[in-house]
Amino acid sequence: MNTQATKIQRRPAPTEASPWVRYLLSALALVIIGLFLILPLVSVLAEAFREGWQAYISAITDRYTRHAILLTLTTALICVPLNTVFGIAAAWCIARFQFPGRSLLTTLIDLPFSVSPVIAGLVFILIFGSQGWFGGWFTAHGFPIIFALPGIVLATMFVTLPFVARELIPLMQEQGSEQEEASIMLGAGPWKMFWTITLPRIKWGLLYGVILCNARAMGEFGAVSVVSGHIRGSTNTLPLHVEILYNEYQFSAAFAVATLLAGLAIVTLIVKSIVEWRQQRQWENATQ
Amino acid sequence: MSIHVNHLTKRYGNFTALDDIELSIDDGELVALLGPSGCGKTTLLRSIAGMEFADSGSILLEGRDMTYEPIRHRQVGFVFQHYALFNHMSVFENVAYGLRVRPRAQRPAEAEIRRRVHELLELVQLDWLAKRFPPQLSGGQRQRIALARALAVEPRYLLLDEPFGALDANVRKELRRWLRRLHEELHVTSLFVTHDQEEAMEVASRIVVMNHGRIEQVGTPEEIYDEPHTPFVSSFIGNVNILRGAIREGAFHTGNWQIPLPKEAREIHHPEEQDAFIRPHDIEIVKDTAVPWRVRIQHIQPMGSSYHVEAVPIALNGDNGPHIENDLITIELTRQAYKALAIDTNDEVGIDIHHVHWFYDHATGTAAS
């Protein structure tokens, strides 16, 4: 038995390329990843600590930095829940019902992905700016939108709108509505059905969308830059703060603040991998 | 717990899914809705359940008009083809679901829920799987859990949409028998959809044959098979040889073959064209050379308990032979008959036709020879 087994050699699969090609492609991929992903991250850290711990700490505990952190968190805290609710509602509509304009709605949800964020910001200036259509009215009633928190929230919401919906639409379409029908047949009302059947089935996909939405909400630069006015201690978010510091030749401080955003990105990636792993496991369980 | 369907019609754009359906089901019956895919049987089932709403007509449950009542007022248990079990809940929680989602005032106490769920799991003989999750079960087990779940809410009607369609042949056979026994035990009015005529014959006490959104025939399995009302029913339920020809001078002519008509049929006015429907087991092979209908055996297919013989008709004197669909006559022989005849391929034999179904007018029905 043993002698026979040793005779069997591992043959390459029909789709397998020759070793040279494989090593070459792998090396190329590693070089690209190193050059474009790892190196910038390392350089951000190196620059941030160039002037030592003290400078780093003082840069990120600076009054204006703290305000920028607070503003970024506030913006995300408003935008992410709203876009989560919207995303679930939109995905529900598109995946479960046939109605005129359904494909138009699907396309519209993708609009923020295809429009440059700067244009998005400018649109809000045109609508709500002091020379804009409604801007005068809002300012006159003591609720300025542009160069204030509402403008930042609007711009961020616009940019992050597709994330949750995009994640859920294919998932819900694939899952189909049979389990939901079964729930209704067993006497559940629409709310009960949503909390006991729909939500548990989409939870990992939903979380994944929320994580991506949050990352973008905190990191958005272009659209927010246009509507915020860069007022330090007032309408300056973290990404804008990095830019201001950099323009003022405070390189070390700029990179120190940038580490916060980089840290956020890394935490996002870790959470995202955990969610993906859970999602995969759930999918495997469901298709056994 | 009777079901009455009155003039139910449903269209999707130009497609008519249900065309003026009339159907009555008595309390405690086990009825099959049988038909090819797209015939409207599932739409009818879903309309009765309340998952679809018809364009016109009405549905009466126990004499009460329920056409536009929401699902939860209909007291219907529904079993889906692909089980539709809640994969994120244990088997126990799946079965308990219908009890747990009730409004607080009607919800049984936790101990009562436990008792009921275990009772149902014992009924479907799967109590030992209570803690498992649906993806860990086999197809047959899942469908039995789905049935237990549907029964948990004590429905007055049990509707099953192709309940065995996704299962292996063996499991399907076993579950059919099991469903019939369960129905004898519970006596809940049951309606199930199937496209498998064998399944309908085996399980149901009555069969509703549907085609193109219309009911072709309603009857016991025996009636449907022995006295089909329409050509469709005849060819959909079991195998049939269709001979194309015309009626002249009191006899059916196809090529140079003649088949005499039954007495009562001779007085009816006949259309130019007429088909004769003959079941494979209504044809006998005879070795007598004097028999007028002659065929050459082309293929013999052993089917286990019987033999299917495919034969080509022989035209006499250069005349045209009979016009048969597929150009082959299928004859079914019992094992004994086959052994006694000792025939082989390419043999020339005579055939004797014992029974023919005639359909004079598709709308008014049938007379058998």
Side-chain angles (χ1 to χ4, degrees):
Chain A
M1 287 299 278
N2 264 337
T3 50
Q4 269 186 338
T6 49
K7 274 183 194 166
I8 299 164
Q9 281 189 348
R10 186 191 162 275
R11 289 175 196 283
T15 52
E16 207 168 283
S18 76
W20 272 108
V21 176
R22 276 186 285 146
Y23 292 136
L24 200 73
L25 286 176
S26 305
L28 192 69
L30 285 177
V31 167
I32 290 173
I33 289 172
L35 213 61
F36 291 99
L37 295 177
I38 311 284
L39 193 65
L41 205 59
V42 171
S43 78
V44 165
L45 280 173
E47 286 296 323
F49 289 102
R50 182 179 288 261
E51 285 168 31
W53 273 103
Q54 293 297 326
Y56 179 82
I57 299 290
S58 74
I60 61 169
T61 52
D62 173 71
R63 186 163 68 90
Y64 293 125
T65 310
R66 276 181 304 169
H67 188 274
I69 294 173
L70 194 68
L71 183 62
T72 299
L73 288 178
T74 311
T75 308
L77 222 58
I78 299 170
C79 293
V80 175
L82 285 176
N83 270 339
T84 304
V85 172
F86 164 79
I88 294 172
W92 174 271
C93 261
I94 288 168
R96 291 285 179 270
F97 302 100
Q98 297 287 334
F99 52 91
R102 179 168 164 269
S103 57
L104 185 72
L105 181 61
T106 317
T107 317
L108 273 180
I109 287 173
D110 276 343
L111 188 70
F113 276 166
S114 50
V115 169
S116 160
V118 178
I119 309 292
L122 281 173
V123 166
F124 286 109
I125 296 261
L126 278 176
I127 300 172
F128 297 112
S130 56
Q131 310 297 318
W133 297 350
F134 310 116
W137 189 87
F138 277 105
T139 315
H141 289 78
F143 192 76
I145 288 178
I146 299 304
F147 305 145
L149 181 66
I152 297 173
V153 168
L154 278 177
T156 308
M157 279 201 62
F158 178 85
V159 173
T160 58
L161 182 130
F163 286 97
V164 173
R166 269 283 115 196
E167 195 58 43
L168 292 185
I169 290 167
L171 180 68
M172 291 178 81
Q173 273 173 339
E174 192 209 13
Q175 284 180 342
S177 56
E178 219 178 37
Q179 291 192 23
E180 284 159 5
E181 281 180 348
S183 159
I184 297 286
M185 288 300 320
L186 290 166
W191 270 120
K192 272 225 167 96
M193 179 200 76
F194 178 78
W195 289 108
T196 56
I197 307 299
T198 312
L199 197 61
R201 295 182 77 211
I202 61 169
K203 65 180 174 198
W204 294 112
L206 178 66
L207 195 57
Y208 187 78
V210 167
I211 290 166
L212 291 181
C213 181
N214 182 58
R216 184 68 189 268
M218 290 189 172
E220 174 55 25
F221 179 84
V224 173
S225 171
V226 176
V227 295
S228 88
H230 304 249
I231 306 162
R232 256 195 238 207
S234 169
T235 63
N236 218 17
T237 63
L238 267 183
L240 301 184
H241 193 52
V242 173
E243 194 213 14
I244 289 184
L245 290 172
Y246 189 82
N247 287 346
E248 291 171 349
Y249 304 104
Q250 301 187 45
F251 299 129
S252 186
F255 282 108
V257 175
T259 57
L260 295 176
L261 284 168
L264 169 77
I266 290 168
V267 169
T268 303
L269 282 180
I270 292 169
V271 177
K272 181 176 150 258
S273 327
I274 295 171
V275 170
E276 266 178 351
W277 174 74
R278 291 287 326 229
Q279 217 176 354
Q280 180 72 19
R281 253 195 28 183
Q282 198 191 26
W283 186 82
E284 275 165 12
N285 280 341
T287 51
Q288 257 168 16
Chain B
M1 310 302 146
S2 60
I3 302 173
H4 292 277
V5 178
N6 294 324
H7 301 289
L8 207 68
T9 297
K10 166 103 185 163
R11 287 190 187 84
Y12 297 103
N14 286 331
F15 178 73
T16 306
L18 297 176
D19 189 357
D20 200 28
I21 295 285
E22 284 275 345
L23 181 64
S24 283
I25 293 164
D26 292 335
D27 186 19
E29 270 197 293
L30 176 53
V31 175
L33 287 177
L34 175 66
S37 50
C39 73
K41 55 194 192 297
T42 295
T43 308
L44 178 57
L45 194 79
R46 290 172 65 91
S47 300
I48 295 171
M51 280 189 281
E52 309 257 354
F53 292 101
D55 300 331
S56 62
S58 61
I59 293 164
L60 277 70
L61 301 179
E62 248 177 300
R64 279 184 54 206
D65 187 348
M66 290 292 203
T67 318
Y68 299 105
E69 286 288 307
I71 292 169
R72 61 180 182 280
H73 293 164
R74 299 190 185 209
Q75 291 180 289
V76 156
F78 201 95
V79 176
F80 294 82
Q81 179 178 7
H82 298 288
Y83 331 121
L85 291 177
F86 308 134
N87 286 343
H88 59 284
M89 295 182 190
S90 67
V91 163
F92 181 92
E93 287 304 324
N94 263 280
V95 179
Y97 187 84
L99 302 172
R100 288 206 198 284
V101 295
R102 283 188 183 168
R104 205 171 290 274
Q106 297 160 31
R107 200 180 305 160
E110 184 61 28
E112 171 67 8
I113 291 178
R114 290 194 166 275
R115 194 189 61 75
R116 286 265 288 279
V117 171
H118 283 296
E119 203 177 273
L120 281 160
L121 287 174
E122 270 162 31
L123 182 73
V124 299
Q125 298 153 3
L126 291 175
D127 203 24
W128 53 288
L129 290 175
K131 290 200 175 74
R132 302 271 186 90
F133 283 79
Q136 297 168 312
L137 309 183
S138 73
Q141 288 169 340
R142 284 188 222 186
Q143 199 54 296
R144 285 196 277 172
I145 296 299
L147 202 73
R149 185 180 68 176
L151 290 171
V153 293
E154 295 180 326
R156 295 178 172 192
Y157 312 93
L158 190 58
L159 307 179
L160 307 103
D161 183 11
E162 302 250 7
F164 314 125
L167 301 171
D168 298 341
N170 280 336
V171 182
R172 200 150 63 198
K173 274 227 162 79
E174 187 197 315
L175 273 190
R176 281 181 201 161
R177 230 168 293 143
W178 177 81
L179 177 68
R180 211 177 42 207
R181 276 207 312 275
L182 191 77
H183 179 260
E184 278 161 16
E185 215 169 301
L186 298 173
H187 266 290
V188 54
T189 309
S190 305
L191 189 57
F192 75 98
V193 157
T194 180
H195 61 262
D196 181 346
Q197 37 113 348
E198 205 181 301
E199 187 168 295
M201 306 270 280
E202 197 179 321
V203 179
S205 54
R206 250 181 351 135
I207 298 176
V208 178
V209 186
M210 290 184 68
N211 189 30
H212 292 308
R214 273 194 301 270
I215 291 180
E216 295 266 337
Q217 190 174 354
V218 181
T220 64
E222 222 173 1
E223 285 166 2
I224 297 273
Y225 190 82
D226 291 340
E227 297 154 35
H229 285 186
T230 65
F232 172 80
V233 175
S234 170
S235 48
F236 192 74
I237 312 283
N239 300 318
V240 70
N241 294 295
I242 303 171
L243 273 59
R244 307 215 180 282
I247 287 175
R248 287 192 303 272
E249 296 140 18
F252 172 76
H253 295 256
T254 172
N256 60 359
W257 285 23
Q258 277 188 36
I259 300 172
L261 282 181
K263 207 177 286 164
E264 74 273 14
R266 281 175 211 155
E267 286 129 38
I268 303 171
H269 174 75
H270 292 287
E272 281 285 290
E273 311 237 313
Q274 177 75 40
D275 296 344
F277 291 73
I278 307 165
R279 297 262 186 229
H281 52 70
D282 287 331
I283 302 174
E284 190 190 351
I285 291 181
V286 284
K287 293 207 136 173
D288 185 355
T289 47
V291 172
W293 302 317
R294 302 204 61 78
V295 295
R296 179 180 288 111
I297 294 167
Q298 200 174 55
H299 182 70
I300 298 170
Q301 181 68 49
M303 302 292 286
S305 58
S306 63
Y307 283 78
H308 282 188
V309 176
E310 287 175 358
V312 191
I314 299 166
L316 292 174
N317 314 326
D319 275 341
N320 291 327
H323 305 293
I324 308 170
E325 212 176 54
N326 307 328
D327 293 324
L328 281 175
I329 291 183
T330 308
I331 303 156
E332 191 182 318
L333 298 176
T334 61
R335 255 186 116 74
Q336 289 91 327
Y338 173 75
K339 300 279 184 219
L341 277 164
I343 46 170
D344 206 347
T345 43
N346 287 325
D347 282 1
E348 269 189 41
V349 291
I351 57 168
D352 200 359
I353 298 168
H354 291 297
H355 188 94
V356 185
H357 288 293
W358 303 102
F359 302 101
Y360 306 120
D361 184 356
H362 297 182
T364 54
T366 179
S369 73

